[in-house]
Amino acid sequence: EGYVSATPRGDLIGKAGVAATDLRPAGVAVVEGERIDVVSEGDYIASGAAVVVVRAEAYRHVVRPQSKA
């Protein structure tokens, strides 16, 4: 299959975390104690905000703000 730069991380989908940096839209979040590179779905997310992983595409992890409900 050739070289694979990153294995899929489907285990992160649905997991909650915290934005470790401002997401503009790219940045870093901490999910289950692990710092990962993330991209927001498009909106700015401030550092310290609660986020949830909605998609994991190889090394690209997409997050959105966690609802307060």
Side-chain angles (χ1 to χ4, degrees):
E1 290 188 19
Y3 177 75
V4 177
S5 64
T7 56
R9 294 293 309 270
D11 59 305
L12 295 175
I13 297 172
K15 301 290 184 180
V18 176
T21 63
D22 290 337
L23 308 182
R24 304 174 180 257
V28 176
V30 177
V31 179
E32 295 194 331
E34 180 181 355
R35 287 177 63 92
I36 58 171
D37 292 325
V38 298
V39 178
S40 76
E41 285 189 308
D43 295 331
Y44 168 84
I45 300 174
S47 176
V51 296
V52 63
V53 179
V54 293
R55 286 194 310 277
E57 303 159 350
Y59 64 88
R60 185 171 182 261
H61 306 97
V62 181
V63 299
R64 71 169 55 130
Q66 189 173 28
S67 64
K68 297 180 188 207

Short mmCIF file of all heavy atoms in Angstrom, two decimals:
data_model
loop_
_atom_site.label_atom_id
_atom_site.label_comp_id
_atom_site.label_asym_id
_atom_site.label_seq_id
_atom_site.Cartn_x
_atom_site.Cartn_y
_atom_site.Cartn_z
N GLU A 1 0.80 -1.19 0.00
CA GLU A 1 0.00 0.00 0.00
C GLU A 1 0.85 1.26 0.00
O GLU A 1 0.31 2.34 -0.12
CB GLU A 1 -0.92 0.03 1.22
CG GLU A 1 -2.01 -0.99 1.15
CD GLU A 1 -3.01 -0.81 2.27
OE1 GLU A 1 -3.08 0.28 2.88
OE2 GLU A 1 -3.73 -1.76 2.54
N GLY A 2 2.14 1.14 0.20
CA GLY A 2 2.98 2.32 0.22
C GLY A 2 3.12 2.91 1.61
O GLY A 2 2.66 2.35 2.60
N TYR A 3 3.74 4.05 1.68
CA TYR A 3 4.00 4.72 2.95
C TYR A 3 2.74 5.38 3.49
O TYR A 3 2.03 6.05 2.75
CB TYR A 3 5.09 5.78 2.75
CG TYR A 3 5.38 6.58 3.98
CD1 TYR A 3 6.11 6.03 5.03
CD2 TYR A 3 4.92 7.88 4.11
CE1 TYR A 3 6.37 6.76 6.17
CE2 TYR A 3 5.17 8.62 5.24
CZ TYR A 3 5.90 8.05 6.27
OH TYR A 3 6.16 8.78 7.38
N VAL A 4 2.48 5.19 4.76
CA VAL A 4 1.35 5.82 5.43
C VAL A 4 1.92 6.73 6.51
O VAL A 4 2.57 6.25 7.45
CB VAL A 4 0.40 4.77 6.05
CG1 VAL A 4 -0.73 5.46 6.80
CG2 VAL A 4 -0.14 3.85 4.99
N SER A 5 1.72 8.04 6.38
CA SER A 5 2.33 8.99 7.31
C SER A 5 1.67 9.00 8.68
O SER A 5 2.30 9.33 9.67
CB SER A 5 2.29 10.40 6.72
OG SER A 5 0.96 10.83 6.57
N ALA A 6 0.40 8.66 8.75
CA ALA A 6 -0.30 8.64 10.03
C ALA A 6 -1.42 7.62 9.97
O ALA A 6 -2.11 7.50 8.97
CB ALA A 6 -0.88 10.01 10.33
N THR A 7 -1.56 6.88 11.05
CA THR A 7 -2.64 5.90 11.08
C THR A 7 -3.94 6.61 11.45
O THR A 7 -3.93 7.58 12.20
CB THR A 7 -2.34 4.80 12.11
OG1 THR A 7 -2.12 5.40 13.39
CG2 THR A 7 -1.13 4.00 11.70
N PRO A 8 -5.06 6.13 10.94
CA PRO A 8 -6.35 6.74 11.27
C PRO A 8 -6.61 6.66 12.77
O PRO A 8 -6.27 5.68 13.42
CB PRO A 8 -7.36 5.89 10.50
CG PRO A 8 -6.57 5.24 9.42
CD PRO A 8 -5.19 5.05 9.97
N ARG A 9 -7.17 7.71 13.33
CA ARG A 9 -7.47 7.76 14.76
C ARG A 9 -8.97 7.86 14.99
O ARG A 9 -9.45 8.77 15.64
CB ARG A 9 -6.76 8.96 15.40
CG ARG A 9 -5.25 8.91 15.41
CD ARG A 9 -4.70 7.79 16.31
NE ARG A 9 -5.26 7.81 17.66
CZ ARG A 9 -4.72 8.48 18.67
NH1 ARG A 9 -3.64 9.17 18.51
NH2 ARG A 9 -5.29 8.44 19.86
N GLY A 10 -9.70 6.92 14.46
CA GLY A 10 -11.14 6.89 14.65
C GLY A 10 -11.55 6.80 16.10
O GLY A 10 -12.67 7.17 16.46
N ASP A 11 -10.63 6.32 16.96
CA ASP A 11 -10.93 6.22 18.39
C ASP A 11 -11.15 7.58 19.04
O ASP A 11 -11.71 7.67 20.12
CB ASP A 11 -9.80 5.47 19.11
CG ASP A 11 -8.44 6.16 18.97
OD1 ASP A 11 -8.03 6.41 17.82
OD2 ASP A 11 -7.81 6.44 19.99
N LEU A 12 -10.71 8.65 18.38
CA LEU A 12 -10.87 9.99 18.95
C LEU A 12 -12.24 10.62 18.65
O LEU A 12 -12.62 11.58 19.32
CB LEU A 12 -9.77 10.92 18.41
CG LEU A 12 -8.35 10.57 18.83
CD1 LEU A 12 -7.36 11.50 18.13
CD2 LEU A 12 -8.19 10.65 20.33
N ILE A 13 -12.96 10.08 17.68
CA ILE A 13 -14.25 10.66 17.31
C ILE A 13 -15.22 10.59 18.49
O ILE A 13 -15.39 9.55 19.12
CB ILE A 13 -14.85 9.96 16.08
CG1 ILE A 13 -13.92 10.17 14.88
CG2 ILE A 13 -16.25 10.47 15.78
CD1 ILE A 13 -14.29 9.36 13.66
N GLY A 14 -15.82 11.74 18.80
CA GLY A 14 -16.75 11.83 19.92
C GLY A 14 -16.10 12.14 21.25
O GLY A 14 -16.79 12.39 22.23
N LYS A 15 -14.78 12.14 21.29
CA LYS A 15 -14.07 12.41 22.55
C LYS A 15 -14.01 13.91 22.81
O LYS A 15 -13.83 14.72 21.90
CB LYS A 15 -12.63 11.87 22.49
CG LYS A 15 -12.55 10.39 22.25
CD LYS A 15 -13.02 9.60 23.44
CE LYS A 15 -12.82 8.11 23.16
NZ LYS A 15 -13.24 7.27 24.22
N ALA A 16 -14.15 14.27 24.07
CA ALA A 16 -14.09 15.67 24.47
C ALA A 16 -12.67 16.05 24.85
O ALA A 16 -11.87 15.20 25.26
CB ALA A 16 -15.01 15.90 25.66
N GLY A 17 -12.37 17.32 24.68
CA GLY A 17 -11.06 17.84 25.04
C GLY A 17 -11.13 19.32 25.28
O GLY A 17 -12.21 19.91 25.39
N VAL A 18 -9.94 19.94 25.37
CA VAL A 18 -9.83 21.37 25.62
C VAL A 18 -8.85 21.96 24.61
O VAL A 18 -7.78 21.39 24.36
CB VAL A 18 -9.32 21.63 27.05
CG1 VAL A 18 -9.09 23.11 27.30
CG2 VAL A 18 -10.29 21.08 28.07
N ALA A 19 -9.21 23.09 24.03
CA ALA A 19 -8.30 23.77 23.11
C ALA A 19 -7.10 24.28 23.91
O ALA A 19 -7.26 25.07 24.83
CB ALA A 19 -9.02 24.93 22.42
N ALA A 20 -5.91 23.82 23.56
CA ALA A 20 -4.68 24.24 24.26
C ALA A 20 -4.16 25.55 23.68
O ALA A 20 -3.40 26.26 24.34
CB ALA A 20 -3.62 23.15 24.16
N THR A 21 -4.54 25.85 22.44
CA THR A 21 -4.18 27.10 21.79
C THR A 21 -5.45 27.66 21.15
O THR A 21 -6.45 26.95 21.02
CB THR A 21 -3.12 26.90 20.69
OG1 THR A 21 -3.67 26.07 19.65
CG2 THR A 21 -1.85 26.25 21.23
N ASP A 22 -5.40 28.92 20.73
CA ASP A 22 -6.50 29.45 19.93
C ASP A 22 -6.57 28.66 18.63
O ASP A 22 -5.52 28.35 18.04
CB ASP A 22 -6.28 30.93 19.61
CG ASP A 22 -6.40 31.82 20.83
OD1 ASP A 22 -7.06 31.42 21.81
OD2 ASP A 22 -5.84 32.94 20.79
N LEU A 23 -7.77 28.30 18.21
CA LEU A 23 -7.95 27.58 16.94
C LEU A 23 -8.44 28.58 15.92
O LEU A 23 -9.55 29.08 16.01
CB LEU A 23 -8.95 26.42 17.12
CG LEU A 23 -8.66 25.46 18.27
CD1 LEU A 23 -9.69 24.34 18.29
CD2 LEU A 23 -7.26 24.89 18.19
N ARG A 24 -7.59 28.89 14.91
CA ARG A 24 -7.88 29.97 13.95
C ARG A 24 -7.83 29.53 12.51
O ARG A 24 -7.22 30.26 11.72
CB ARG A 24 -6.87 31.10 14.12
CG ARG A 24 -6.78 31.65 15.47
CD ARG A 24 -5.61 32.65 15.49
NE ARG A 24 -5.45 33.23 16.77
CZ ARG A 24 -5.84 34.45 17.11
NH1 ARG A 24 -6.39 35.24 16.23
NH2 ARG A 24 -5.65 34.88 18.32
N PRO A 25 -8.27 28.52 11.96
CA PRO A 25 -8.97 27.43 12.64
C PRO A 25 -8.04 26.32 13.12
O PRO A 25 -8.48 25.42 13.82
CB PRO A 25 -9.89 26.90 11.56
CG PRO A 25 -9.13 27.10 10.30
CD PRO A 25 -8.38 28.40 10.52
N ALA A 26 -6.75 26.34 12.78
CA ALA A 26 -5.84 25.27 13.20
C ALA A 26 -5.20 25.60 14.54
O ALA A 26 -5.03 26.76 14.90
CB ALA A 26 -4.76 25.05 12.15
N GLY A 27 -4.85 24.57 15.29
CA GLY A 27 -4.18 24.74 16.57
C GLY A 27 -3.98 23.40 17.23
O GLY A 27 -3.92 22.36 16.58
N VAL A 28 -3.90 23.42 18.56
CA VAL A 28 -3.65 22.21 19.34
C VAL A 28 -4.73 22.06 20.39
O VAL A 28 -5.14 23.05 21.01
CB VAL A 28 -2.26 22.29 20.02
CG1 VAL A 28 -2.02 21.08 20.92
CG2 VAL A 28 -1.15 22.39 18.97
N ALA A 29 -5.17 20.83 20.60
CA ALA A 29 -6.12 20.52 21.67
C ALA A 29 -5.57 19.36 22.47
O ALA A 29 -4.76 18.57 21.98
CB ALA A 29 -7.49 20.16 21.10
N VAL A 30 -6.01 19.25 23.71
CA VAL A 30 -5.66 18.11 24.56
C VAL A 30 -6.91 17.24 24.68
O VAL A 30 -7.95 17.70 25.16
CB VAL A 30 -5.18 18.57 25.95
CG1 VAL A 30 -4.89 17.37 26.84
CG2 VAL A 30 -3.94 19.45 25.81
N VAL A 31 -6.79 16.01 24.19
CA VAL A 31 -7.91 15.05 24.23
C VAL A 31 -7.42 13.82 24.95
O VAL A 31 -6.44 13.19 24.53
CB VAL A 31 -8.37 14.70 22.79
CG1 VAL A 31 -9.50 13.68 22.84
CG2 VAL A 31 -8.80 15.95 22.04
N GLU A 32 -8.06 13.50 26.07
CA GLU A 32 -7.68 12.36 26.91
C GLU A 32 -6.20 12.40 27.26
O GLU A 32 -5.50 11.39 27.18
CB GLU A 32 -8.06 11.04 26.22
CG GLU A 32 -9.56 10.88 26.07
CD GLU A 32 -9.98 9.47 25.72
OE1 GLU A 32 -9.21 8.75 25.07
OE2 GLU A 32 -11.10 9.11 26.11
N GLY A 33 -5.72 13.59 27.60
CA GLY A 33 -4.34 13.75 28.03
C GLY A 33 -3.31 13.80 26.91
O GLY A 33 -2.12 13.94 27.18
N GLU A 34 -3.74 13.71 25.67
CA GLU A 34 -2.84 13.72 24.52
C GLU A 34 -2.98 15.02 23.73
O GLU A 34 -4.08 15.40 23.36
CB GLU A 34 -3.18 12.52 23.61
CG GLU A 34 -2.32 12.40 22.39
CD GLU A 34 -2.71 11.23 21.50
OE1 GLU A 34 -3.60 10.44 21.88
OE2 GLU A 34 -2.12 11.12 20.43
N ARG A 35 -1.83 15.68 23.48
CA ARG A 35 -1.86 16.90 22.65
C ARG A 35 -1.91 16.48 21.19
O ARG A 35 -1.07 15.71 20.74
CB ARG A 35 -0.59 17.73 22.89
CG ARG A 35 -0.59 18.42 24.22
CD ARG A 35 0.71 19.18 24.46
NE ARG A 35 0.92 20.24 23.51
CZ ARG A 35 0.55 21.50 23.67
NH1 ARG A 35 -0.06 21.86 24.79
NH2 ARG A 35 0.79 22.42 22.76
N ILE A 36 -2.93 16.97 20.48
CA ILE A 36 -3.06 16.63 19.07
C ILE A 36 -3.29 17.89 18.25
O ILE A 36 -3.86 18.87 18.74
CB ILE A 36 -4.21 15.62 18.81
CG1 ILE A 36 -5.56 16.18 19.31
CG2 ILE A 36 -3.91 14.28 19.45
CD1 ILE A 36 -6.75 15.34 18.90
N ASP A 37 -2.82 17.88 17.01
CA ASP A 37 -3.08 18.97 16.08
C ASP A 37 -4.52 18.85 15.62
O ASP A 37 -4.97 17.75 15.25
CB ASP A 37 -2.14 18.90 14.88
CG ASP A 37 -0.70 19.17 15.26
OD1 ASP A 37 -0.47 20.01 16.17
OD2 ASP A 37 0.19 18.57 14.67
N VAL A 38 -5.25 19.95 15.66
CA VAL A 38 -6.66 19.94 15.28
C VAL A 38 -6.98 21.12 14.37
O VAL A 38 -6.21 22.07 14.26
CB VAL A 38 -7.59 19.99 16.52
CG1 VAL A 38 -7.39 18.78 17.41
CG2 VAL A 38 -7.39 21.27 17.31
N VAL A 39 -8.14 21.02 13.74
CA VAL A 39 -8.69 22.10 12.91
C VAL A 39 -10.15 22.24 13.31
O VAL A 39 -10.86 21.25 13.43
CB VAL A 39 -8.58 21.75 11.41
CG1 VAL A 39 -9.19 22.84 10.56
CG2 VAL A 39 -7.15 21.50 11.00
N SER A 40 -10.59 23.48 13.53
CA SER A 40 -12.01 23.68 13.84
C SER A 40 -12.82 23.57 12.56
O SER A 40 -12.26 23.63 11.46
CB SER A 40 -12.24 25.04 14.51
OG SER A 40 -12.18 26.07 13.56
N GLU A 41 -14.11 23.44 12.69
CA GLU A 41 -14.97 23.35 11.51
C GLU A 41 -15.06 24.68 10.77
O GLU A 41 -15.76 24.77 9.78
CB GLU A 41 -16.38 22.88 11.91
CG GLU A 41 -16.43 21.42 12.23
CD GLU A 41 -17.85 20.93 12.39
OE1 GLU A 41 -18.60 21.52 13.16
OE2 GLU A 41 -18.18 19.92 11.75
N GLY A 42 -14.34 25.66 11.19
CA GLY A 42 -14.32 26.93 10.47
C GLY A 42 -14.34 28.14 11.37
O GLY A 42 -13.80 29.17 11.03
N ASP A 43 -14.95 28.02 12.53
CA ASP A 43 -15.06 29.16 13.43
C ASP A 43 -13.86 29.23 14.36
O ASP A 43 -13.23 28.23 14.68
CB ASP A 43 -16.33 29.06 14.27
CG ASP A 43 -17.59 29.15 13.43
OD1 ASP A 43 -17.53 29.81 12.37
OD2 ASP A 43 -18.61 28.56 13.83
N TYR A 44 -13.55 30.44 14.81
CA TYR A 44 -12.51 30.67 15.81
C TYR A 44 -12.96 30.05 17.12
O TYR A 44 -14.11 30.18 17.54
CB TYR A 44 -12.31 32.18 15.97
CG TYR A 44 -11.47 32.55 17.17
CD1 TYR A 44 -10.09 32.55 17.08
CD2 TYR A 44 -12.06 32.90 18.37
CE1 TYR A 44 -9.30 32.89 18.17
CE2 TYR A 44 -11.29 33.24 19.46
CZ TYR A 44 -9.92 33.23 19.37
OH TYR A 44 -9.16 33.56 20.45
N ILE A 45 -12.04 29.34 17.79
CA ILE A 45 -12.31 28.78 19.12
C ILE A 45 -11.18 29.24 20.03
O ILE A 45 -10.00 29.04 19.71
CB ILE A 45 -12.39 27.24 19.09
CG1 ILE A 45 -13.53 26.78 18.16
CG2 ILE A 45 -12.59 26.69 20.49
CD1 ILE A 45 -13.60 25.27 17.96
N ALA A 46 -11.51 29.86 21.14
CA ALA A 46 -10.50 30.39 22.06
C ALA A 46 -9.83 29.28 22.86
O ALA A 46 -10.43 28.24 23.15
CB ALA A 46 -11.15 31.39 23.02
N SER A 47 -8.58 29.53 23.21
CA SER A 47 -7.83 28.63 24.07
C SER A 47 -8.59 28.41 25.37
O SER A 47 -9.16 29.34 25.93
CB SER A 47 -6.46 29.24 24.35
OG SER A 47 -5.73 28.45 25.25
N GLY A 48 -8.64 27.18 25.83
CA GLY A 48 -9.35 26.85 27.06
C GLY A 48 -10.79 26.42 26.86
O GLY A 48 -11.42 25.92 27.80
N ALA A 49 -11.31 26.58 25.65
CA ALA A 49 -12.70 26.19 25.38
C ALA A 49 -12.82 24.67 25.26
O ALA A 49 -11.91 23.99 24.78
CB ALA A 49 -13.18 26.85 24.09
N ALA A 50 -13.95 24.15 25.69
CA ALA A 50 -14.23 22.72 25.56
C ALA A 50 -14.55 22.41 24.10
O ALA A 50 -15.31 23.15 23.45
CB ALA A 50 -15.39 22.33 26.45
N VAL A 51 -13.96 21.34 23.57
CA VAL A 51 -14.18 20.94 22.18
C VAL A 51 -14.48 19.45 22.13
O VAL A 51 -14.22 18.72 23.09
CB VAL A 51 -12.96 21.25 21.27
CG1 VAL A 51 -12.72 22.75 21.19
CG2 VAL A 51 -11.72 20.53 21.75
N VAL A 52 -15.03 19.01 21.01
CA VAL A 52 -15.28 17.59 20.78
C VAL A 52 -14.80 17.26 19.37
O VAL A 52 -14.96 18.04 18.44
CB VAL A 52 -16.77 17.23 20.99
CG1 VAL A 52 -17.67 17.94 20.00
CG2 VAL A 52 -16.98 15.74 20.95
N VAL A 53 -14.17 16.09 19.22
CA VAL A 53 -13.66 15.65 17.92
C VAL A 53 -14.84 15.10 17.11
O VAL A 53 -15.55 14.21 17.57
CB VAL A 53 -12.58 14.56 18.08
CG1 VAL A 53 -12.08 14.09 16.72
CG2 VAL A 53 -11.42 15.05 18.93
N VAL A 54 -15.05 15.65 15.91
CA VAL A 54 -16.17 15.22 15.08
C VAL A 54 -15.73 14.38 13.89
O VAL A 54 -16.52 13.61 13.34
CB VAL A 54 -17.04 16.41 14.60
CG1 VAL A 54 -17.74 17.06 15.78
CG2 VAL A 54 -16.22 17.43 13.84
N ARG A 55 -14.47 14.53 13.46
CA ARG A 55 -13.93 13.72 12.36
C ARG A 55 -12.45 13.51 12.58
O ARG A 55 -11.76 14.38 13.11
CB ARG A 55 -14.13 14.41 11.01
CG ARG A 55 -15.53 14.39 10.50
CD ARG A 55 -15.65 14.78 9.04
NE ARG A 55 -14.97 16.00 8.66
CZ ARG A 55 -15.44 17.24 8.80
NH1 ARG A 55 -16.62 17.42 9.37
NH2 ARG A 55 -14.77 18.27 8.38
N ALA A 56 -11.95 12.36 12.15
CA ALA A 56 -10.52 12.08 12.19
C ALA A 56 -10.13 11.51 10.84
O ALA A 56 -10.57 10.42 10.47
CB ALA A 56 -10.20 11.10 13.31
N GLU A 57 -9.35 12.29 10.08
CA GLU A 57 -8.94 11.88 8.74
C GLU A 57 -7.42 11.80 8.71
O GLU A 57 -6.75 12.78 8.45
CB GLU A 57 -9.45 12.89 7.71
CG GLU A 57 -10.96 13.07 7.76
CD GLU A 57 -11.43 14.38 7.16
OE1 GLU A 57 -10.60 15.25 6.87
OE2 GLU A 57 -12.65 14.51 6.98
N ALA A 58 -6.86 10.62 9.03
CA ALA A 58 -5.41 10.41 9.15
C ALA A 58 -4.88 11.37 10.20
O ALA A 58 -5.25 11.28 11.35
CB ALA A 58 -4.72 10.54 7.81
N TYR A 59 -4.04 12.33 9.83
CA TYR A 59 -3.46 13.25 10.81
C TYR A 59 -4.34 14.48 11.04
O TYR A 59 -4.01 15.33 11.87
CB TYR A 59 -2.07 13.69 10.37
CG TYR A 59 -2.07 14.48 9.09
CD1 TYR A 59 -2.22 15.86 9.10
CD2 TYR A 59 -1.94 13.85 7.85
CE1 TYR A 59 -2.26 16.58 7.93
CE2 TYR A 59 -1.96 14.57 6.67
CZ TYR A 59 -2.12 15.94 6.72
OH TYR A 59 -2.15 16.65 5.56
N ARG A 60 -5.43 14.62 10.33
CA ARG A 60 -6.30 15.81 10.45
C ARG A 60 -7.48 15.48 11.36
O ARG A 60 -8.30 14.62 11.05
CB ARG A 60 -6.80 16.21 9.06
CG ARG A 60 -7.60 17.47 9.03
CD ARG A 60 -7.86 17.86 7.57
NE ARG A 60 -8.58 19.10 7.50
CZ ARG A 60 -9.88 19.20 7.30
NH1 ARG A 60 -10.59 18.11 7.13
NH2 ARG A 60 -10.45 20.37 7.24
N HIS A 61 -7.54 16.18 12.49
CA HIS A 61 -8.62 15.98 13.46
C HIS A 61 -9.49 17.23 13.48
O HIS A 61 -8.98 18.32 13.76
CB HIS A 61 -8.03 15.71 14.85
CG HIS A 61 -7.05 14.59 14.84
ND1 HIS A 61 -5.69 14.80 14.75
CD2 HIS A 61 -7.21 13.25 14.84
CE1 HIS A 61 -5.07 13.64 14.72
NE2 HIS A 61 -5.96 12.69 14.77
N VAL A 62 -10.76 17.07 13.20
CA VAL A 62 -11.68 18.21 13.11
C VAL A 62 -12.49 18.27 14.40
O VAL A 62 -13.05 17.27 14.85
CB VAL A 62 -12.61 18.06 11.89
CG1 VAL A 62 -13.55 19.26 11.78
CG2 VAL A 62 -11.79 17.91 10.61
N VAL A 63 -12.54 19.48 14.99
CA VAL A 63 -13.26 19.67 16.25
C VAL A 63 -14.30 20.77 16.10
O VAL A 63 -14.24 21.58 15.18
CB VAL A 63 -12.31 20.03 17.42
CG1 VAL A 63 -11.32 18.91 17.67
CG2 VAL A 63 -11.58 21.34 17.16
N ARG A 64 -15.25 20.77 17.03
CA ARG A 64 -16.22 21.87 17.14
C ARG A 64 -16.39 22.16 18.63
O ARG A 64 -16.08 21.30 19.46
CB ARG A 64 -17.55 21.51 16.48
CG ARG A 64 -18.36 20.47 17.22
CD ARG A 64 -19.78 20.35 16.68
NE ARG A 64 -19.82 20.08 15.28
CZ ARG A 64 -20.52 19.12 14.69
NH1 ARG A 64 -21.25 18.30 15.46
NH2 ARG A 64 -20.51 18.95 13.40
N PRO A 65 -16.88 23.35 18.96
CA PRO A 65 -17.10 23.65 20.37
C PRO A 65 -18.08 22.64 20.97
O PRO A 65 -19.05 22.24 20.32
CB PRO A 65 -17.70 25.06 20.37
CG PRO A 65 -17.31 25.63 19.06
CD PRO A 65 -17.22 24.48 18.11
N GLN A 66 -17.84 22.24 22.20
CA GLN A 66 -18.74 21.29 22.86
C GLN A 66 -19.96 22.04 23.34
O GLN A 66 -19.84 23.10 23.95
CB GLN A 66 -18.01 20.63 24.03
CG GLN A 66 -18.79 19.49 24.64
CD GLN A 66 -17.96 18.75 25.67
OE1 GLN A 66 -17.08 19.33 26.29
NE2 GLN A 66 -18.24 17.49 25.87
N SER A 67 -21.14 21.50 23.05
CA SER A 67 -22.38 22.16 23.48
C SER A 67 -22.50 22.06 25.00
O SER A 67 -21.99 21.13 25.62
CB SER A 67 -23.59 21.53 22.82
OG SER A 67 -23.72 20.19 23.21
N LYS A 68 -23.19 23.01 25.59
CA LYS A 68 -23.34 23.06 27.04
C LYS A 68 -24.56 22.30 27.53
O LYS A 68 -24.86 22.32 28.69
CB LYS A 68 -23.39 24.51 27.49
CG LYS A 68 -22.12 25.23 27.17
CD LYS A 68 -22.15 26.66 27.61
CE LYS A 68 -20.92 27.32 27.07
NZ LYS A 68 -20.40 28.41 27.74
N ALA A 69 -25.23 21.64 26.60
CA ALA A 69 -26.47 20.94 26.97
C ALA A 69 -26.25 19.71 27.77
O ALA A 69 -25.36 19.05 27.89
CB ALA A 69 -27.27 20.58 25.72
#
